[in-house]
Amino acid sequence: MHLDEQERRRELYRLQAMLCQVLADPTRIELIELLGEGPKAVKELAQATGQRQAKISQHLAVLRQRGLVHAQRVGTEMHYSLTDRRILDACHLTRELLLDQLLRQGELAESVLLGERG
Amino acid sequence: MHLDEQERRRELYRLQAMLCQVLADPTRIELIELLGEGPKAVKELAQATGQRQAKISQHLAVLRQRGLVHAQRVGTEMHYSLTDRRILDACHLTRELLLDQLLRQGELAESVLLGERG
DNA sequence: GCACTCTATTCGAATACGCGAATATTCTAA
DNA sequence: TTAGAATATTCGCGTATTCGAATAGAGTGC
């Protein structure tokens, strides 16, 4: 299989979209943030997030399949950790973007309110 | 409505997930990259991506609704541009992550092959 | 072996998404 | 006002995702 430049670029976009899809879930984002503090067992994660264990395992499976986290058995527990701490950077960058958006929207809302008053 | 610390954080995760969802489509990523070069008309974007106009408009609508791009009418054309160039940074960071993942997987594949041979 | 803990998977239903096709809207020019 | 170009929207279908509920492993200790 030989791909020309454009096809290669589009294939990359496709994979990148799949990666973003993994980050497109609030529970998974929270898991990534928690694992940013260090390795944690599933039970801990379930407790910290307040979600059912099955749900956490499901999301961890997604993160695992996409290679974002790594699992290691310790007795009966599974300890999960991030495979690459830059995953956190990506999360934080998108969060910054989000906060700026919210700020802008806030300004917009404010100006709208001012406009209504004027 | 008053939210405690944890609820506020989870609300932020929810919004962040929505933002990532927008980035979780190859066509939209390509549009963002193209708009990174400067403002472009819908027709140009359709041409550059090789996709039908309706599809491009649909994706632009998503980007617009989420505030990632801004549209300006010029005659009969609509010129789209990025509202914040850091959207590009976010895309590039996730792409770096992806490339490293692919590299690691390549190394893994290589070691598996070596293992098979050994 | 059995009981217990921790974790993973499967299933089904509800919801959300992406797409093509068709249609509608908006502007320009004559 | 009619034609035509550029863009937007709607609709319907196939598919993917998420969740809870239930169930299945896997490891430990007795």
Side-chain angles (χ1 to χ4, degrees):
Chain A
M1 71 166 190
H2 184 275
L3 302 177
D4 71 11
E5 160 67 12
Q6 204 175 54
E7 283 168 337
R8 225 178 3 239
R9 195 162 39 78
R10 299 234 164 92
E11 173 64 9
L12 205 56
Y13 289 154
R14 200 180 60 80
L15 294 173
Q16 187 177 349
M18 290 175 65
L19 179 57
C20 288
Q21 177 66 35
V22 175
L23 301 179
D25 181 278
T27 301
R28 288 198 288 266
I29 292 173
E30 190 171 4
L31 290 176
I32 289 171
E33 292 290 341
L34 286 168
L35 293 178
E37 302 169 359
K40 288 192 168 38
V42 177
K43 194 182 176 184
E44 288 181 82
L45 295 169
Q47 230 168 343
T49 59
Q51 312 267 14
R52 299 170 195 281
Q53 172 267 321
K55 182 171 168 180
I56 296 302
S57 275
Q58 284 170 355
H59 284 295
L60 285 172
V62 174
L63 292 169
R64 205 175 351 105
Q65 284 157 13
R66 298 295 200 248
L68 295 184
V69 303
H70 162 255
Q72 184 182 12
R73 183 171 279 289
V74 178
T76 73
E77 294 181 340
M78 291 295 278
H79 286 196
Y80 280 83
S81 50
L82 295 179
T83 56
D84 185 340
R85 293 194 56 83
R86 272 177 308 164
I87 298 163
L88 273 178
D89 297 341
C91 278
H92 293 166
L93 184 52
T94 56
R95 185 139 63 241
E96 261 187 59
L97 262 174
L98 173 64
L99 288 172
D100 279 12
Q101 273 194 332
L102 293 177
L103 203 62
R104 256 200 301 278
Q105 284 173 20
E107 286 166 4
L108 179 61
E110 194 176 343
S111 71
V112 167
L113 286 176
L114 287 172
E116 278 176 352
R117 285 190 209 122
Chain B
M1 71 170 191
H2 183 276
L3 301 178
D4 70 11
E5 160 67 13
Q6 206 176 53
E7 283 167 337
R8 226 179 0 239
R9 195 163 38 77
R10 299 234 164 91
E11 173 64 9
L12 206 55
Y13 290 154
R14 199 180 61 79
L15 294 173
Q16 187 177 348
M18 290 175 65
L19 178 57
C20 288
Q21 178 65 35
V22 174
L23 301 179
D25 182 277
T27 302
R28 287 197 289 263
I29 293 174
E30 189 171 4
L31 290 176
I32 288 170
E33 291 292 340
L34 286 167
L35 292 178
E37 302 169 0
K40 287 190 168 38
V42 176
K43 193 182 178 185
E44 288 180 83
L45 295 168
Q47 230 168 343
T49 58
Q51 313 265 14
R52 298 170 195 281
Q53 172 266 319
K55 183 172 168 180
I56 297 301
S57 275
Q58 284 170 357
H59 284 295
L60 285 172
V62 174
L63 293 169
R64 205 174 353 105
Q65 283 157 16
R66 298 293 200 246
L68 296 184
V69 304
H70 162 255
Q72 184 181 12
R73 184 170 280 288
V74 177
T76 74
E77 295 180 340
M78 291 296 279
H79 287 196
Y80 280 84
S81 50
L82 296 179
T83 55
D84 186 339
R85 293 196 55 84
R86 273 177 308 165
I87 298 164
L88 273 178
D89 298 340
C91 279
H92 294 164
L93 184 52
T94 56
R95 185 139 65 240
E96 262 188 56
L97 262 175
L98 173 64
L99 289 172
D100 279 13
Q101 272 193 332
L102 294 177
L103 203 63
R104 257 201 300 279
Q105 284 173 18
E107 286 166 3
L108 180 62
E110 194 176 341
S111 72
V112 167
L113 286 176
L114 286 173
E116 279 175 352
R117 287 193 207 118

